[in-house]
Amino acid sequence: MLAPVSSPFSFEPNADPVESGERARRIADPGFGRVFTDHMAVVHYSDARGWHQPQVVARAPLSIDPACAVLHYAQEIFEGLKAYRQEDGGLSLFRPDMNAARFRSSARRLAMPELPETLFVASLEALIAADKEWMPPGPDASIYLRPFMIASETFLGVKPSGEYLYMVIAAASGSYWKGGTRPISLWVSHDFARAATGGTGAAKCGGNYAASLVAQADAIRRGCDQVVFLDAAERRWVEELGGMNIFFVQADGSLRTPPLTGTILPGVTRDSLIQLARDEGLTVREEPYAIDQWRADAKAGANAEAFACGTAAVVTPIGRVAGPDYDFQIGNGETGPVTARLLERLTAIQRGQTHDPHGWRHALRS
């Protein structure tokens, strides 16, 4: 259990790690986001010293002052990505450079310091080196990595913090959906908006998700799996789910997805699927799609498939969509062939089962 030789991170092993038999029991069927590994990566920042003290240490509760800035002014950002077991037995990350770039973009939007890409990637490498034995068995297995940064200065006052704490925790993970991938149902929220022009929609910050929870709870009460948001200005244009981007597959085989205008999170999976679809010769249009048009196209058969996508759930087919005075089915309500093919191609690249034409895999030291 050693950190990579070239890592800038010091390594302090957990003095009381989970025993191997208990670890095997926990990772046999870990679900998603509940079975955490033994260690965490930590880097400190201050205006006076910059980024300093990178280390991998035992995962433990944080001790923060009641006046810690993040608790009052919500300066907080995060990322999500996975380490995958490869066909040759090694481990790889998928496009960590894109996560690093988005983390910096989120930091700029929330007036936080930008973490260098090299330090971001090194933190992932060091943590996986320490906790690679937590990789679960099975075809859907991964180690989910959650880098995040919080304002840690102790003060009360509306200004950017002068101190920050960057951390990475990891969780042994199986399929995001209990029982595996299946077509989900969506509730279209006409009452709540996720983000508006000039807001934080393109940043991956906790406030966006907090604001989506009341709408998600509403969707569950109405018998749907997830909420999908419309734009804040007109309540007309489909934007994204509470935590996933959305694609529409038309009957002519073309794909459509809402454009990145500042209110939608620029997903790594979204970007990858656009490239893979274009590799196949499919037309992909990044343009607005009105909810009324979606309803009409679904009824007429012009919209043949729809799916949501993100790091955690990967690609999830959409079978049914409901709103205050409408309820419609997408295609036959099952997983469509284009959705299935793109999911297969993406996961094959992530898991080293096929050629990686774009150099997306980032191999980790064994």
Side-chain angles (χ1 to χ4, degrees), residues 95-108:
R95 306 189 74 180
D97 56 327
M98 192 169 179
N99 290 97
R102 189 171 64 184
F103 198 70
R104 293 197 305 274
S105 177
S106 295
R108 286 193 299 273

Side-chain angles (χ1 to χ4, degrees), residues 150-200:
I150 63 171
S152 56
E153 185 179 358
T154 299
F155 76 100
L156 297 178
V158 183
K159 71 173 185 66
S161 175
E163 298 175 2
Y164 296 88
L165 186 64
Y166 167 75
M167 306 182 70
V168 189
I169 56 174
S173 297
S175 175
Y176 183 78
W177 302 108
K178 190 179 177 71
T181 301
R182 58 174 176 79
I184 61 170
S185 57
L186 302 183
W187 174 260
V188 182
S189 180
H190 289 257
D191 298 321
F192 302 101
R194 176 188 172 275
T197 302
T200 59

Side-chain angles (χ1 to χ4, degrees), residues 84-92 132 135 351-352 364 366:
Y84 300 93
R85 180 182 289 112
Q86 304 296 288
E87 283 289 287
D88 63 5
L91 299 179
S92 281
K132 62 188 177 208
M135 176 65 75
R351 298 181 183 282
L364 297 168
S366 59

Side-chain angles (χ1 to χ4, degrees), residues 4 32 49 129 235 276 320 344:
F32 183 83
R49 297 182 60 187
R235 294 292 203 275
L276 292 178
R320 172 178 158 259
E344 182 179 6

